[in-house]
Amino acid sequence: MALPKAQTPWLSWLYLALAIAGGVLPWMANLAFMRDYGSSFDLSLFVSLANANAASQSLSRDLLVGASAVTIWMVVESRRLQMRHLWLVLLSSVTIAFAFAAPLFLCLRERRLAELAREAIASGASELA
């Protein structure tokens, strides 16, 4: 496996901020949905409304295809980089929001790349000694 180059530390913080926004903003809409349509989260009604017209169908299908592709990539990439806790990211995708899970994964990936870069530097330094 090729050694990753050092990443910019601010990027993981940016992804973390996007994860927070991606958790809060969809749940604000989810809470409004529950307020408007009953205190429980009626999944069948939610899906029905998400497909109520061509515009909402477009957004729903766009999210389905894009989230599916990115989820496959997250699994492959986490295995390639030997990342831990992927299950938390995948679980948060269906319990919080994909808009939370994807940037969270990118944050964790940046941190893992930085960890691998530090290990490579330390390994190179020990070989020179």
Side-chain angles (χ1 to χ4, degrees):
M1 173 170 72
L3 296 174
K5 71 175 199 168
Q7 303 297 304
T8 51
W10 60 267
L11 193 54
S12 67
W13 290 106
L14 176 60
Y15 287 140
L16 185 59
L18 289 171
I20 292 167
V24 170
L25 295 174
W27 266 97
M28 288 173 61
N30 290 344
L31 292 173
F33 168 78
M34 289 186 288
R35 183 187 63 240
D36 294 344
Y37 294 96
S39 60
S40 65
F41 193 90
D42 184 342
L43 184 59
S44 66
L45 178 59
F46 186 85
V47 171
S48 176
L49 290 172
N51 289 287
N53 59 51
S56 60
Q57 285 176 346
S58 174
L59 291 172
S60 295
R61 293 170 184 177
D62 187 52
L63 176 62
L64 177 65
V65 173
S68 297
V70 171
T71 300
I72 292 166
W73 174 77
M74 287 190 305
V75 171
V76 170
E77 184 72 352
S78 69
R79 288 182 179 162
R80 184 179 74 83
L81 297 176
Q82 300 175 339
M83 293 173 61
R84 298 176 299 275
H85 310 301
L86 175 66
W87 68 273
L88 286 171
V89 173
L90 297 177
L91 181 62
S92 71
S93 184
V94 295
T95 58
I96 300 173
F98 180 74
F100 170 79
L104 175 63
F105 175 81
L106 292 171
C107 172
L108 296 173
R109 179 180 177 271
E110 285 300 314
R111 291 180 181 199
R112 177 63 178 150
L113 289 172
E115 178 184 21
L116 291 171
R118 285 190 304 272
E119 289 173 4
I121 290 169
S123 172
S126 67
E127 290 176 6
L128 294 175

